[in-house]
Amino acid sequence: MGEFELIAKYFSAVGAKRSDVITGVGDDGAVIQVRDGHDLVVTTDTMVSGTHFFANDDPRALGHKLVTVNISDLAAMGAEPAWLSLALTLPEVNEHWLSQFSAGINETAEYYNCQLVGGDTTRGPLSLTMTAKGLVPRGKALSRSGAKVGDYIYVTGTLGDAALGLKLQQGLHQVSKKHQTHILQRFQYPSARVALGQALRNIANSAMDLSDGLYGDIQHILHRSAVGASIDVQKLPLSQALKDSCDNNTAYGLALSGGEDYELLFTVSENKRGSLDVLLSPYGVAITCIGRITGAIGKLELKKSEQTFSYQPQGFKHFA
Ligand SMILES: [Mg+2]
């Protein structure tokens, strides 16, 4: 099967069918009608076999994750996802793998109302690159640079589940049978907080998504906003599954540095906290206040029961 047949068979009609796509897959470029009064938000993520995933991972889950990690970046910007492109490097044409991978992209793109509008395929070591484009009302994009001293720091959902899921998949950690599905699901089929990101447009001073773990990720907000942060580890939202599967310090470690949670981290000023609770309650995603932004530029302070919590961060590495 040649490149053109492959594209036609597996990638020509993937995701939602959007009326703003004038020309999609199959031409030299995609032609898209961009909505008036909006800014375009563009993000790219690459997943390399042996670094971000294992060559024998379920291709459907890989397709799902590739879309989700990109959409999660759009969510963090407060954008509405719209269009995707895919650059695929394959060691060989394996039709079973391709059909599952394409199905994973298709169902996830459809879920987020995104259409695959183009891409490229090449032969080489397995590598998956996706670019996602979305729209945000002009001037309303969220960023990492707007955090203010005194802001309250929030995260969505629960932290550390995906990292535990990876350990479970690798056979490095036991999880009781009743929690296994939930924990594996959180690692293999993460969700992007799209509706919530859009709801934060007029509320949050800064926002980002958590891909590498809170401890490392929040440093980007601290540096871009020239502020510090104080976080109470006892306030970190942990799922029952995580609490039942680990001792406290292991759970804090996974929540702080585990990575791949794809939850949102955002900061809100004191006077917006009330509207935050009211506006976000219909979204059905828990939000938890975990600390405050401080004036100690670039410094992240971890506390537990008003005492300093000493923590040696471990970066999230698949093959560590
Ligand atoms: Mg991100």
Side-chain angles (χ1 to χ4, degrees):
M1 178 178 281
E3 183 190 350
F4 302 112
E5 286 166 274
L6 186 155
I7 291 170
K9 188 161 178 191
Y10 295 108
F11 298 109
S12 63
V14 171
K17 207 156 171 28
R18 292 181 59 98
S19 58
D20 51 14
V21 176
I22 298 163
T23 305
V25 173
D27 217 304
D28 290 302
V31 183
I32 289 163
Q33 202 168 20
V34 180
R35 204 181 303 161
D36 282 349
H38 285 70
D39 293 328
L40 186 66
V41 179
V42 182
T43 180
T44 297
D45 263 293
T46 292
M47 289 166 48
V48 176
S49 177
T51 303
H52 303 94
F53 63 91
F54 302 98
N56 61 353
D57 276 355
D58 174 7
R60 195 172 193 127
L62 287 178
H64 172 95
K65 195 177 269 192
L66 183 64
V67 174
T68 305
V69 302
N70 275 279
I71 300 288
S72 176
D73 280 326
L74 294 182
M77 304 296 291
E80 172 192 331
W83 312 288
L84 304 171
S85 36
L86 171 70
L88 189 58
T89 307
L90 297 169
E92 62 189 342
V93 174
N94 173 336
E95 288 218 45
H96 171 73
W97 191 95
L98 276 167
S99 70
Q100 290 299 301
F101 177 67
S102 139
I105 292 181
N106 182 53
E107 63 204 16
T108 314
E110 222 164 35
Y111 178 76
Y112 292 112
N113 194 30
C114 278
Q115 183 173 340
L116 187 71
V117 296
D120 190 24
T121 54
T122 333
R123 195 172 285 258
L126 184 59
S127 167
L128 321 168
T129 295
M130 182 165 273
T131 298
K133 284 137 275 192
L135 294 168
V136 64
R138 186 141 302 152
K140 292 291 184 188
L142 296 167
S143 78
R144 298 172 173 185
S145 58
K148 308 268 185 301
V149 175
D151 276 6
Y152 289 80
I153 303 168
Y154 287 84
V155 290
T156 60
T158 56
L159 304 180
D161 298 330
L164 182 61
L166 171 64
K167 284 180 182 294
L168 174 61
Q169 184 178 297
Q170 290 176 300
L172 297 175
H173 198 104
Q174 300 293 322
V175 172
S176 74
K177 207 159 177 67
K178 69 170 176 176
H179 292 315
Q180 285 183 1
T181 311
H182 171 77
I183 288 296
L184 276 179
Q185 193 82 5
R186 291 274 287 163
F187 173 62
Q188 293 174 342
Y189 289 91
S191 299
R193 303 301 188 191
V194 171
L196 211 120
Q198 291 172 43
L200 289 174
R201 280 172 191 159
N202 294 309
I203 300 175
N205 285 337
S206 67
M208 68 180 301
D209 70 325
L210 294 173
S211 50
D212 299 331
L214 173 67
Y215 190 92
D217 284 338
I218 197 172
Q219 314 279 349
H220 298 294
I221 287 184
L222 304 192
H223 289 119
R224 302 262 309 174
S225 302
V227 293
S230 172
I231 287 175
D232 182 346
V233 294
Q234 285 178 304
K235 291 189 176 155
L236 295 173
L238 307 177
S239 69
Q240 197 57 48
L242 187 74
K243 285 191 272 193
D244 287 353
S245 311
C246 311
D247 61 69
N248 276 350
N249 281 347
T250 306
Y252 294 147
L254 291 172
L256 286 167
S257 301
E260 300 219 24
D261 286 315
Y262 300 105
E263 297 293 350
L264 296 182
L265 167 69
F266 58 97
T267 75
V268 172
S269 56
E270 171 103 63
N271 64 348
K272 294 270 179 76
R273 291 187 81 198
S275 41
L276 178 71
D277 288 337
V278 173
L279 276 167
L280 298 199
S281 58
Y283 291 93
V285 177
I287 56 167
T288 308
C289 182
I290 57 169
R292 300 287 293 272
I293 293 293
T294 69
I297 297 175
K299 188 169 182 290
L300 172 59
E301 174 192 38
L302 296 179
K303 292 203 311 200
K304 187 183 172 193
S305 312
E306 299 305 310
Q307 310 264 315
T308 299
F309 178 73
S310 62
Y311 175 66
Q312 282 300 323
Q314 295 173 324
F316 175 57
K317 291 186 189 73
H318 274 94
F319 295 105

